[in-house]
Amino acid sequence: MTYQKGKPLLTPREREVFELLVQDKTTKEIAQQLFISEKTVRNHISNVMQKLNVKGRSQAVVELVRLGELKI
């Protein structure tokens, strides 16, 4: 994977979404808490999965933890 040095992998909003995701929040709960639509939540999750080149939310979480981008 090639990321620009010093440039964060996740946007602040993507980080918020994944921090809630690891707390076992549903897409609906995340949307309500962040005042965004469920579709927007799914878009953020999808964007992160693409950045990481993984399939599935759980794989994305595992990879983000491995990279030190997310604490659980």
Side-chain angles (χ1 to χ4, degrees):
M1 280 180 254
T2 57
Y3 301 116
Q4 292 175 352
K5 201 163 179 66
K7 185 170 182 261
L9 174 60
L10 300 178
T11 66
R13 189 55 115 187
E14 289 167 349
R15 183 174 306 283
E16 284 179 312
V17 167
F18 271 85
E19 283 172 351
L20 292 170
L21 204 58
V22 297
Q23 293 171 37
D24 238 10
K25 302 271 190 218
T26 65
T27 301
K28 186 174 187 169
E29 290 168 333
I30 294 169
Q32 288 171 340
Q33 194 163 335
L34 298 180
F35 305 104
I36 57 179
S37 73
E38 289 180 56
K39 173 93 175 93
T40 303
V41 172
R42 287 192 295 272
N43 286 345
H44 286 309
I45 293 168
S46 182
N47 290 342
V48 171
M49 290 183 337
Q50 278 188 308
K51 285 183 191 181
L52 297 170
N53 197 23
V54 297
K55 289 180 174 32
R57 297 170 177 209
S58 53
Q59 262 191 297
V61 168
V62 168
E63 190 62 13
L64 288 170
V65 170
R66 190 185 71 77
L67 292 168
E69 291 284 337
L70 193 62
K71 304 261 187 285
I72 50 171

